[in-house]
Amino acid sequence: MGQPVTLLRTESPRPGILRFELNRSLTGMGHERYAADEEILGDRPSDELARRLFAAGGGSAVHVSGSMVTVSLGSTDEHDLASVIRELYTYYVPGVEIPSDEELVAMVE
């Protein structure tokens, strides 16, 4: 459940750099930079995406500006990174129990 992120991989003139254009903005009009050796403390969508990309072995740096994600590659295949981005808003994956209507209402109250 959730909505997969649609993306388009675009070419970069620099080798080892991947760009992904998304169908939604993750940072509004701002931009965020992340390095693999720095702790990511926030809970915004761009923070979560950077954590997931680094956990997948997604390189040494991630830059998110609006709907553009730029990744400095490490040893990971680019297709693995694309799937990490696509699944950013997928909440209920196989093995995760979906809450009942009563449980959801109780969370709001």
Side-chain angles (χ1 to χ4, degrees), residues 1-7 22-24 26 52 82-93:
M1 197 171 223
Q3 183 180 12
V5 175
T6 303
L7 58 91
L22 313 183
N23 67 334
R24 64 191 70 198
L26 299 180
R52 291 182 187 189
S83 66
V84 168
I85 296 169
R86 274 190 204 96
E87 297 169 2
L88 179 63
Y89 290 110
T90 304
Y91 301 108
Y92 304 115
V93 294

Side-chain angles (χ1 to χ4, degrees), residues 23-96:
N23 67 334
R24 64 191 70 198
S25 176
L26 299 180
T27 63
M29 295 194 55
H31 65 92
E32 299 291 333
R33 295 177 194 269
Y34 305 95
D37 59 346
E38 294 177 0
E39 184 178 8
I40 302 170
L41 300 175
D43 61 353
R44 297 165 298 185
S46 59
D47 301 328
E48 181 61 27
L49 179 59
R51 272 192 289 273
R52 291 182 187 189
L53 289 170
F54 290 139
S60 59
V62 173
H63 179 252
V64 183
S65 178
S67 61
M68 179 69 73
V69 177
T70 306
V71 181
S72 298
L73 280 181
S75 60
T76 303
D77 183 18
E78 66 182 82
H79 297 293
D80 294 338
L81 299 181
S83 66
V84 168
I85 296 169
R86 274 190 204 96
E87 297 169 2
L88 179 63
Y89 290 110
T90 304
Y91 301 108
Y92 304 115
V93 294
V96 174

